[in-house]
Amino acid sequence: MLKKISPFICLEDLPNPFWVKVTSGASKDKVDAEHDLSPDITFKVYVRAIAENGKANRAVRAVLADFLKIPQSRLEIISGETGRLKRIAWRL
């Protein structure tokens, strides 16, 4: 069964793992799927949380989980814990 994220994106179509570029301290939490960054970066994620003591990483997982319509427990940051570029793995 294909899980629709938007009219154009299905979860199964995402690379696993995928790359995101994070902006912490943003004015609102959101995911930008239509960006003009490197083709290697799947999403640009904006979070209000600041990059301190893992707050931004927790927010990234929460915002992505909401966007992808899956539980946070199914997303894992596998690299980039301390940087803006993060590699995210997902499982169904």
Side-chain angles (χ1 to χ4, degrees):
M1 177 172 116
L2 297 177
K3 185 172 184 113
K4 285 270 187 195
I5 298 167
S6 79
F8 308 105
I9 301 172
C10 290
L11 184 61
E12 287 81 3
D13 292 338
L14 286 179
N16 194 15
F18 60 92
W19 288 93
V20 299
K21 184 172 185 179
V22 176
T23 299
S24 60
S27 60
K28 68 178 191 174
D29 294 337
K30 71 176 187 173
V31 175
D32 180 3
E34 297 179 17
H35 56 76
D36 57 355
L37 298 171
S38 162
D40 296 336
I41 299 173
T42 307
F43 301 118
K44 188 161 185 188
V45 180
Y46 299 86
V47 294
R48 290 180 300 207
I50 58 173
E52 179 180 272
N53 298 323
K55 292 177 188 173
N57 287 336
R58 287 190 292 276
V60 166
R61 287 181 61 221
V63 170
L64 276 173
D66 184 56
F67 179 77
L68 297 172
K69 297 176 177 65
I70 60 174
Q72 287 183 43
S73 60
R74 294 189 178 167
L75 292 174
E76 180 184 359
I77 298 173
I78 57 174
S79 68
E81 289 275 338
T82 60
R84 292 186 66 198
L85 288 176
K86 300 185 184 308
R87 195 168 180 211
I88 310 287
W90 60 271
R91 63 182 190 281
L92 291 176

